[in-house]
Amino acid sequence: MSFVPKKQTYNARINEVVLGVGEKAVTIGGQNVLAFHTFDAEIANAPKIGVELTDAGMAMCTMPGEQKFYEGCATVADMAKRAETMEGASFICLHLEGADPNGENKSVDECVALAKSVADATDMPLVIMGCKNIEKDTELFNKIAEALSGKNILVLSARDENYKAIGAGAGLAYGQKVGAESAVDINLAKQLNTVMTQLGVNAQSIVMNIGSAAAGYGFEYVASTLDRVKDAALSQSDAMLQMPIITPVSADTWGVKESIMPEADMPEWGSQEERGIEMEIVTAAAVLASGSDAVIMRHPEAIRTIAAMIGELV
Amino acid sequence: MAVKGLDIFKLSPKKNCKECGVPTCMAFCMKVAQGALPIEKCPYMSDEAIALLSEATAPPMKAIEVGGMKLGGETVMMRHEKTFVNRNRFAVSLCTCMDDAAVDAKIAEMKAVDYERIGEREYVEFLLIHDAGDGARLAELCKKAAATERAVIIDTESVDNAKLALAAIGDTKPLLNGANKDNYEAMNALAVEAGVVLGVKGADLAELHDTVAALEKLDNKNLVIDVTGATVKETFANAVLVRRTALKDGDRTFGYPSIVNLAKLCRGDVHMEAALAAVFTMKYGSIVAMETMRYAEALPLYGLRQNVFTDPQKPMKVEPGIYPINGATPDDPCALTVDFALTYFLVSGELERSKVPVNLLITDASGMSVLTAWAAGKFSSGSIKKFFDEYDIAGKINNRTLIIPGKAAVMKGDIQDKLPDWNVVVGTREAVELVKYLRDGEHVKAAEAVAASKKPADEKKAVVDADAPLDFEKIAMSIPEIKVVDMGVSYKQRDPNSPKFVTIGERIHCISPVIREAMNNMDPEPILKRAAEQIKAGATYLDVNIGPAESNGPELMTWAVKLLQENFNNVPLALDTANKKAIEAGIRVYNRTNGKPIVNSADAGSRISNIDLAAANDAIVIALCSADGIAKDNEERMMHCHHMLERGLSLGMDASDLWFDPLFLVVKGMQDKQMDVLNAIKMFADEGLKSTGGLSNNSNGAPKAVRPILDSTLVAMAMMQGLTSAIVNPNDLRLMETIKSCDIFKNHVLYSDSYLDE
């Protein structure tokens, strides 16, 4: 008798979460099988890619490929408009790095105005990524959530220390989607989802960010946490882990030695841009293979490649 | 699933005849289960048992060796379930359709990638030569490939061309990829004759399955499966399904390593190829062949592979040594930390960001983080001194500023004493703070202050000879006089042979700042207070952890033992330190009325000699069933257990004086291993062995209100399994009441309505 593979299907399903409004709204999550396991069941929604833009504007474009793509853009809003045309991009992620009180310390008002200008310039769903400072992020997210009310944005992210304020503000008062961020630990991830839903935030309004790392930099923890979250969500039907997962990739990968070492210092390594692109691609591909439902990336060539890869696999 | 040692034991003759060369049937069966001995070594095993076992003990996926590299042999689909065993290998593919210039360029590009990352050589391990239909050219390229000292994959489905290629390089044992539904008999004959591994191809999974089965019928099990399909999607499905069918569904026909040939799937798109190489590194490619491997691809891919193929229970370590950062020369200062890979990456990353030239010194700390290593005695002034001597740091570095981790500030004095020529300064507690610290030159100012405060050389302390025998009289004279204080409680006389559960109170531990301070000053009050609390709460033994105590261990332990025993009616104690001399001194003054002293602790690795120490002093020893890192399963736990048991017995110890510790694991993070620990306790009990352990470790990091619930539930489950002792916080009323109740049900204590007050 000829070989027929057994199917591995689950009764449980990852939540579907819609980001944005109108024609360009995207749905993430929804699948009831492991990543790209199309032979077990059809994948409900292919993983999505967001384009990371920072408040630094054109100054963030350190690589020739990025400079060329965004050529002629004067403002972050211009760049967002351009990013909409990027092959494989589904949403925009505005990363407010400069809000960090230990860095440039840009004011909340300035950040809100910037977020508004980006939202006005693009029809794509918008994700707002903070500066990792707990107090500043809390204020930023709630103010931006208020200003962009009705746009169905995602704020990235609430953490153990500020989930109450962000859940109550961005989540409940302004009806936006809320990211739940934990540091590469499945138990913390579940705990945060539990307390956030106890607060009244709808489970369907939560997207997890379980943490990330560049390939080679402790990535095994990320891979195993992703594996375990998906396993618990699907095989144990754990409703507190069925939120889809979004993983910011570029913020990590463009900071490691392999991507920042100039070719002049390391001639045998070759082109710095190629190294940065491949580091971003490899990390994103690995994160997606382990079950992330969306990734946030930066370089146009890396995004094109990962989008094509997703296209091949689903 | 592999068969467990104890399952084999059930089928064994159980006569302990030693004819197999192993002392007991149990030990023999454990070795068989690990694959260390073949079952046939036992002359008395029945044929049925052998047949049953050889089928059941065969691994679900074979490990196949090519070019000295093991492929496959995996037992789990996801690394957290246990671990991945053999990392995937990368190949660069060449084609007979390429001209010489193109071939030479590819080979040069491939060869350029060759470097080391955390103790592992990273390079392209295989060259795949694809045959586009030219046998002579195939043979020629194979020769060229073999000359690069890479393992070769001959990729042809033509028997004639395969023959030519094998004639050229058969002696290098290439992989012949290979066989299909039409040619498998002829290909099989070629592969067998040449003694090479045969790759199997097929249009789909059914065809692959049939061809592998047909080859197995011809008695060839030296195979790999080429899962490359017509599309990326199909290839991914094949890779996952072949692995899953073998591991989950127990169909060993698919229990072979895989080849994924990306050159076929993404011709020319080097970025797409990198993306897919990452996917198949994660998901089940054993050999991943690519058209292009430059540093741009290699750096992330090899880093990814190294991460994914680390054992989740063994910390990733970096080699000890000097790592110059930002172009540091011997004239630049040194910063010291441990060899835990994550610590290394964090610290070196921040040092790089600071742009300040620093020599990063990595010492051997068994891959633990700074605090864990310090508490375990693996990161001490002694180990640092040893490292400085072994690596001749003083000879290689001229600068004398030594920055130590902020978390190890407590060792500053000891390190300064051991390295008097250096100026030891305390760095930051977190790596991220290093950038500011270094840029502001804090370390320079601190080092100047240290240098200025140094006394003239002639006042240096006398060097202590660590190996000299202890002068007990001198020690006894040097400690403060012990005063007996009425703390309102007394320790009740105890029968050391009572079957009652033994609780070892853990509250006298130098990791607590109050106790550390008290020990530094030999101040009795805080220690007596904690002892009284624990005794009142019903602790059987008290643990006395004096930390690494490198400078005054023997004095400190002598003092602590006398202090506690004289104040509390000879309360029995567990002596807890990495300093052996301290334990020896403590036992010297120890009164055994209420039970032998406990040596806390030995393990099956670097601390195994603590068993000898216990044996020489007629003490009990807590024997951790681990060597380096947590045991990966109960086979390994039992192997360590038997290893230590044999050692203790050979030194004349009574088996009941070895208390085996399975190592309780944190439920947050290692939830799926909890039943393993409980089952290990049952195995100890089944062999009549005693057990103990730091039970409350399970609830580390859980909310305060939850911890007593977790701890008491676990103790009840563990006592049901046969746990005879635990290291606990006796002030946890719920836990102590649970233990007392379990002792009632186990019929260790006669019931009365007021049993809780006993």
Side-chain angles (χ1 to χ4, degrees):
Chain A
M1 209 186 70
S2 122
F3 171 79
V4 180
K6 287 197 182 129
K7 283 193 193 294
Q8 183 177 310
T9 49
Y10 304 96
N11 296 321
R13 202 171 260 289
I14 303 300
N15 299 341
E16 285 191 336
V17 175
V18 179
L19 302 181
V21 287
E23 270 178 26
K24 291 200 174 158
V26 299
T27 304
I28 59 174
Q31 75 279 14
N32 64 343
V33 288
L34 298 179
F36 304 122
H37 283 39
T38 50
F39 38 91
D40 286 329
E42 198 185 328
I43 304 289
N45 300 292
K48 300 293 188 292
I49 307 173
V51 185
E52 182 190 352
L53 297 174
T54 78
D55 55 288
M58 284 304 283
M60 75 166 242
C61 299
T62 51
M63 294 293 119
E66 293 173 287
Q67 286 155 359
K68 185 157 176 277
F69 180 83
Y70 292 109
E71 201 166 13
C73 292
T75 63
V76 182
D78 290 346
M79 293 172 74
K81 191 105 200 106
R82 185 73 54 83
E84 269 197 335
T85 67
M86 197 183 285
E87 197 183 334
S90 295
F91 60 93
I92 307 286
C93 171
L94 177 61
H95 184 182
L96 298 168
E97 265 179 332
D100 188 353
N102 298 318
E104 279 182 74
N105 199 14
K106 287 188 182 165
S107 73
V108 173
D109 288 346
E110 189 183 347
C111 294
V112 171
L114 182 67
K116 273 195 82 166
S117 74
V118 170
D120 290 341
T122 169
D123 295 332
M124 274 193 177
L126 187 59
V127 172
I128 301 291
M129 192 148 76
C131 64
K132 301 270 175 200
N133 179 286
I134 298 286
E135 290 80 31
K136 190 71 171 273
D137 278 357
T138 310
E139 202 186 342
L140 270 180
F141 291 153
N142 285 344
K143 287 271 164 63
I144 292 174
E146 183 183 7
L148 300 185
S149 157
K151 291 270 187 184
N152 198 19
I153 65 165
L154 169 68
V155 295
L156 212 59
S157 330
R159 290 195 273 171
D160 186 38
E161 300 91 334
N162 59 4
Y163 76 88
K164 279 186 188 157
I166 295 173
L172 291 172
Y174 308 116
Q176 312 283 20
K177 301 293 191 282
V178 183
E181 179 179 341
S182 47
V184 203
D185 180 322
I186 185 173
N187 303 105
L188 294 180
K190 177 170 174 178
Q191 178 67 12
L192 188 53
N193 290 339
T194 307
V195 291
M196 205 120 85
T197 45
Q198 280 171 356
L199 192 70
V201 179
N202 190 330
Q204 271 68 31
S205 295
I206 300 174
V207 177
M208 281 189 273
N209 168 12
I210 59 111
S212 186
Y217 290 84
F219 188 82
E220 67 271 32
Y221 300 100
V222 178
S224 284
T225 306
L226 282 167
D227 283 342
R228 291 182 65 200
V229 168
K230 291 296 172 182
D231 187 52
L234 295 177
S235 71
Q236 294 181 3
S237 299
D238 192 327
M240 285 303 114
L241 286 170
Q242 286 168 351
M243 294 73 178
I245 298 173
I246 188 166
T247 309
V249 169
S250 40
D252 285 315
T253 65
W254 286 94
V256 296
K257 189 165 64 187
E258 289 85 341
S259 315
I260 55 178
M261 193 71 86
E263 192 173 349
D265 292 356
M266 213 54 170
E268 65 272 33
W269 278 8
S271 156
Q272 184 193 346
E273 182 164 29
E274 273 299 288
R275 280 184 267 127
I277 290 171
E278 294 290 44
M279 181 54 89
E280 191 174 4
I281 286 175
V282 166
T283 305
V287 157
L288 290 168
S290 296
S292 190
D293 301 279
V295 285
I296 294 169
M297 302 178 65
R298 189 179 291 178
H299 198 286
E301 172 58 17
I303 291 172
R304 177 204 68 79
T305 306
I306 291 298
M309 182 198 90
I310 293 170
E312 293 266 13
L313 281 166
V314 297
Chain B
M1 247 337 257
V3 156
K4 296 198 159 67
L6 289 178
D7 295 334
I8 305 176
F9 181 63
K10 284 180 201 144
L11 297 169
S12 78
K14 302 191 191 73
K15 52 203 286 179
N16 297 338
C17 66
K18 302 185 181 61
E19 286 178 46
C20 56
V22 178
T24 62
C25 289
M26 163 69 82
F28 173 75
C29 294
M30 288 295 168
K31 293 201 159 132
V32 170
Q34 290 150 24
L37 285 175
I39 185 93
E40 291 78 13
K41 271 254 176 191
C42 172
Y44 302 105
M45 201 69 84
S46 71
D47 289 347
E48 303 96 279
I50 291 177
L52 195 77
L53 288 173
S54 59
E55 172 61 20
T57 50
M61 178 189 189
K62 291 188 181 59
I64 301 289
E65 203 171 308
V66 184
M69 290 167 279
K70 274 196 180 157
L71 306 168
E74 301 299 342
T75 57
V76 291
M77 295 296 286
M78 291 183 186
R79 63 184 287 281
H80 72 262
E81 295 172 66
K82 197 166 190 176
T83 180
F84 289 155
V85 194
N86 293 309
R87 62 181 185 271
N88 64 309
R89 304 290 178 160
F90 290 100
V92 159
S93 84
L94 302 171
C95 176
T96 55
C97 56
M98 293 162 73
D99 63 24
D100 278 338
V103 168
D104 291 342
K106 268 287 151 208
I107 288 180
E109 179 185 89
M110 173 283 296
K111 273 185 140 175
V113 176
D114 200 337
Y115 62 104
E116 204 180 289
R117 187 179 205 274
I118 321 181
E120 197 175 274
R121 182 184 170 205
E122 310 296 11
Y123 68 111
V124 177
E125 294 105 342
F126 282 88
L127 276 173
L128 180 145
I129 316 296
H130 177 67
D131 175 22
D134 181 343
R137 180 76 177 147
L138 180 66
E140 191 186 333
L141 288 192
C142 282
K143 262 194 176 161
K144 212 169 209 174
T148 63
E149 289 176 357
R150 264 59 174 181
V152 178
I153 302 167
I154 306 169
D155 189 45
T156 181
E157 291 173 54
S158 150
V159 177
D160 292 337
N161 292 356
K163 236 181 238 171
L164 290 171
L166 279 177
I169 60 156
D171 55 330
T172 68
K173 302 292 171 205
L175 191 163
L176 177 59
N177 188 36
N180 61 30
K181 70 175 181 6
D182 301 318
N183 72 8
Y184 73 88
E185 281 178 308
M187 280 291 189
N188 179 56
L190 274 183
V192 170
E193 196 200 349
V196 301
V197 176
L198 183 61
V200 186
K201 300 182 178 194
D204 53 35
L205 283 176
E207 202 177 296
L208 273 172
H209 197 268
D210 287 346
T211 310
V212 172
L215 284 161
E216 285 188 326
K217 248 194 191 138
L218 296 173
D219 215 21
N220 190 350
K221 294 193 172 178
N222 203 15
L223 309 172
V224 298
I225 299 177
D226 187 338
V227 296
T228 317
T231 62
V232 170
K233 189 172 176 172
E234 200 181 305
T235 307
F236 182 74
N238 290 349
V240 174
L241 288 170
V242 162
R243 181 72 60 92
R244 197 167 83 188
T245 301
L247 300 191
K248 289 261 185 200
D249 304 335
D251 180 348
R252 292 204 175 84
T253 304
F254 271 163
Y256 293 96
S258 64
I259 299 182
V260 178
N261 189 353
L262 296 178
K264 262 192 193 169
L265 296 172
C266 31
R267 288 199 175 280
D269 188 344
V270 54
H271 293 151
M272 174 64 98
E273 198 174 59
L276 292 176
V279 168
F280 288 107
T281 295
M282 304 294 296
K283 301 292 171 192
Y284 320 131
S286 308
I287 298 177
V288 178
M290 303 164 68
E291 281 188 320
T292 303
M293 179 71 88
R294 305 164 300 176
Y295 266 101
E297 288 75 37
L299 294 169
L301 284 173
Y302 289 115
L304 178 70
R305 173 177 81 172
Q306 195 171 46
N307 282 170
V308 170
F309 284 85
T310 49
D311 187 333
Q313 283 156 49
K314 295 228 161 68
M316 203 156 81
K317 291 192 279 186
V318 285
E319 280 300 305
I322 306 173
Y323 293 77
I325 309 265
N326 300 326
T329 70
D331 296 322
D332 289 308
C334 295
L336 176 82
T337 193
V338 292
D339 60 349
F340 179 41
L342 223 53
T343 303
Y344 166 78
F345 278 125
L346 277 171
V347 173
S348 63
E350 296 302 330
L351 290 177
E352 276 167 20
R353 278 203 323 131
S354 78
K355 304 245 163 50
V356 177
V358 173
N359 290 296
L360 179 59
L361 305 180
I362 299 292
T363 72
D364 180 359
S366 301
M368 295 180 192
S369 64
V370 169
L371 267 185
T372 327
W374 173 76
K378 304 265 186 194
F379 186 53
S380 62
S381 64
S383 75
I384 293 165
K385 167 86 168 91
K386 199 168 145 227
F387 163 76
F388 267 68
D389 291 346
E390 265 175 34
Y391 287 80
D392 185 27
I393 306 297
K396 290 174 184 157
I397 306 284
N398 307 324
N399 190 303
R400 283 292 172 266
T401 299
L402 177 64
I403 308 167
I404 63 169
K407 283 182 179 158
V410 58
M411 298 199 297
K412 178 184 187 293
D414 284 342
I415 300 173
Q416 187 67 68
D417 286 348
K418 292 245 167 69
L419 302 171
D421 299 335
W422 291 76
N423 300 319
V424 180
V425 304
V426 178
T428 61
R429 287 185 62 85
E430 299 296 335
V432 285
E433 299 155 5
L434 272 172
V435 178
K436 189 172 181 323
Y437 174 88
L438 290 170
R439 283 192 187 161
D440 293 351
E442 298 287 351
H443 58 300
V444 180
K445 290 174 227 164
E448 280 166 5
V450 173
S453 71
K454 272 190 192 163
K455 296 185 179 118
D458 56 346
E459 280 184 40
K460 266 185 208 161
K461 283 190 190 170
V463 181
V464 185
D465 180 359
D467 295 327
L470 290 172
D471 182 344
F472 295 111
E473 263 177 49
K474 201 171 147 210
I475 293 169
M477 297 291 288
S478 73
I479 63 168
E481 194 193 339
I482 305 292
K483 288 196 189 106
V484 176
V485 188
D486 183 8
M487 301 294 291
V489 280
S490 70
Y491 185 83
K492 264 188 255 167
Q493 188 108 5
R494 156 178 186 269
D495 172 12
N497 296 319
S498 156
K500 266 174 70 177
F501 192 79
V502 174
T503 53
I504 305 172
E506 68 191 2
R507 303 266 298 144
I508 304 177
H509 198 298
C510 77
I511 215 152
S512 140
V514 181
I515 297 296
R516 189 159 63 230
E517 177 77 22
M519 284 180 175
N520 277 345
N521 305 323
M522 292 204 191
D523 170 14
E525 207 222 298
I527 295 172
L528 289 176
K529 195 162 156 263
R530 286 213 172 174
E533 277 169 14
Q534 297 186 92
I535 290 169
K536 195 167 171 216
T540 328
Y541 268 78
L542 297 184
D543 188 73
V544 186
N545 182 305
I546 61 168
E550 291 179 279
S551 53
N552 67 342
E555 289 80 9
L556 186 53
M557 193 59 100
T558 302
W559 173 73
V561 168
K562 284 173 70 84
L563 175 72
L564 290 166
Q565 288 207 316
E566 288 178 20
N567 266 283
F568 297 104
N569 187 28
N570 295 320
V571 57
L573 301 171
L575 311 186
D576 190 356
T577 172
N579 184 336
K580 278 194 201 146
K581 293 274 176 200
I583 291 182
E584 209 187 320
I587 293 178
R588 178 83 181 192
V589 296
Y590 183 92
N591 181 309
R592 296 165 183 264
T593 311
N594 289 313
K596 291 181 182 180
I598 298 176
V599 175
N600 188 8
S601 56
D603 67 12
S606 53
R607 278 191 284 164
I608 195 155
S609 59
N610 276 345
I611 293 178
D612 310 16
L613 182 69
N617 290 285
D618 188 24
I620 294 163
V621 64
I622 295 176
L624 270 54
C625 294
S626 70
D628 290 303
I630 299 159
K632 67 176 177 299
D633 55 21
N634 279 342
E635 300 292 333
E636 195 185 325
R637 277 194 189 88
M638 295 312 287
M639 180 186 76
H640 294 319
C641 163
H642 290 131
H643 179 49
M644 290 186 286
L645 180 60
E646 273 171 40
R647 181 145 178 159
L649 295 181
S650 74
L651 293 167
M653 283 182 86
D654 195 307
S656 64
D657 284 342
L658 290 125
W659 293 8
F660 293 96
D661 181 347
L663 266 112
F664 287 91
L665 306 171
V666 192
V667 74
K668 263 174 108 164
M670 304 195 84
Q671 194 177 343
D672 54 344
K673 301 290 186 292
Q674 298 293 324
M675 283 312 295
D676 274 4
V677 173
L678 288 166
N679 289 331
I681 294 168
K682 178 86 168 47
M683 292 182 194
F684 299 147
D686 285 349
E687 295 185 22
L689 301 173
K690 293 199 172 183
S691 48
T692 190
L695 183 123
S696 53
N697 187 39
N698 88 85
S699 59
N700 251 331
K704 245 187 167 158
V706 174
R707 291 196 69 171
I709 302 174
L710 284 170
D711 293 352
S712 53
T713 305
L714 184 62
V715 88
M717 293 175 81
M719 285 179 76
M720 182 67 206
Q721 298 288 78
L723 187 72
T724 55
S725 161
I727 304 164
V728 298
N729 175 3
N731 300 346
D732 178 348
L733 182 64
R734 185 172 196 141
L735 176 71
M736 294 304 276
E737 287 181 346
T738 305
I739 292 172
K740 282 180 183 168
S741 304
C742 288
D743 264 335
I744 294 288
F745 287 115
K746 295 189 83 170
N747 203 21
H748 290 159
V749 175
L750 188 67
Y751 176 81
S752 73
D753 283 350
S754 58
Y755 76 91
L756 288 176
D757 305 328
E758 270 184 44

